[in-house]
Structures are given as structure tokens and as C-alpha cells.
Amino acid sequence: QVQLVESGGGLVQPGGSLRLSCAASGLTLDYYTIGWFRQAPGKEREGVSCISSLDNSTYYADSVKGRFTISRDNAKNTAYLQVDSLKPEDTANYYCTAAITPTVQSLCVARFGVKYWGQGTQVTVSS
């Protein structure tokens, strides 16, 4: 069956870094736009960063721009989110998704075309 499995979350101090991974099985990520979303308790799930399937164009939410970097390795069928300069407000469960969607904005902003979700990995930023 199709699976997206996130890993790499953990507890870090403000200013710290993590590298989140999204390993896919049962599907080939080459064909999909990939997104990273996050959800904190009591808040809506929000699009953090997305990367296209065609030209690797990217989208970043304003709140993470300059601190987070999305990438993909199609040979490994894995996507990544490098999260740097972490702030307490980055604390959330981070989910990856594979989508068929026209643009990175249509996925990250409108959540259009989502086909699969992972189960999430927790990122906690605290002193």
C-alpha cells in the first residue's frame, strides 16, 4: 500500500535545527508535488513549504522563509525539510503530502490535489 513516513522530529532549543524526512513507498514521488504542512494544538493545519514535480519550483510560508529549505531526492523516493533557526512558534506536528496539483501555491495555500498524507513527526522548540 501507499505510505508516506515522516521522521526526524524531536525536541530542540530555540535557534536549533532539524532535518525532517518523508520516505515514500508504493508510489513514485517523481510524479507528485510534495508539501510539508504543520499543525499545532488548537490551530488549523497550515502549508509550510511545497516543491513541484516538474521544475523543482518552491513555495515557503512567510513565517518560515529564509529558515526552512525543502528538497527532494527522487532516486531515494524521499523528500526533506531542513528547518533552521527554530522558534517556539514552530512547535507543531509536521506532515508531508504528495499531490497532483497545478502549482506549489495551489497545494501549500489551497490544499488542492492532495492524494496522500503521512502520519506526522513532532517538532518541539523549547528552552
Side-chain angles (χ1 to χ4, degrees):
Q1 71 275 30
V2 171
Q3 276 193 306
L4 299 176
V5 180
E6 301 95 334
S7 62
L11 174 64
V12 297
Q13 293 185 334
S17 297
L18 292 168
R19 185 174 178 84
L20 310 183
S21 297
C22 175
S25 60
L27 78 162
T28 300
L29 283 184
D30 305 47
Y31 302 105
Y32 296 90
T33 299
I34 300 167
W36 284 95
F37 288 69
R38 67 185 181 187
Q39 188 167 26
K43 301 182 68 175
E44 294 184 352
R45 189 171 297 191
E46 63 175 343
V48 175
S49 183
C50 294
I51 185 167
S52 77
S53 61
L54 297 177
D55 60 0
N56 284 331
S57 60
T58 57
Y59 169 92
Y60 295 95
D62 288 343
S63 59
V64 307
K65 196 170 298 181
R67 300 188 297 118
F68 291 11
T69 305
I70 191 170
S71 62
R72 63 194 300 160
D73 187 337
N74 289 337
K76 296 181 179 180
N77 219 26
T78 301
Y80 304 94
L81 186 69
Q82 178 71 36
V83 295
D84 298 323
S85 302
L86 285 164
K87 305 174 181 180
E89 52 262 45
D90 295 319
T91 295
N93 204 322
Y94 284 70
Y95 302 86
C96 69
T97 185
I100 299 175
T101 190
T103 66
V104 288
Q105 186 176 57
S106 66
L107 175 59
C108 261
V109 177
R111 277 182 268 182
F112 177 77
V114 170
K115 299 299 181 184
Y116 309 102
W117 285 104
Q119 293 299 308
T121 185
Q122 179 67 35
V123 173
T124 302
V125 185
S126 177
S127 300

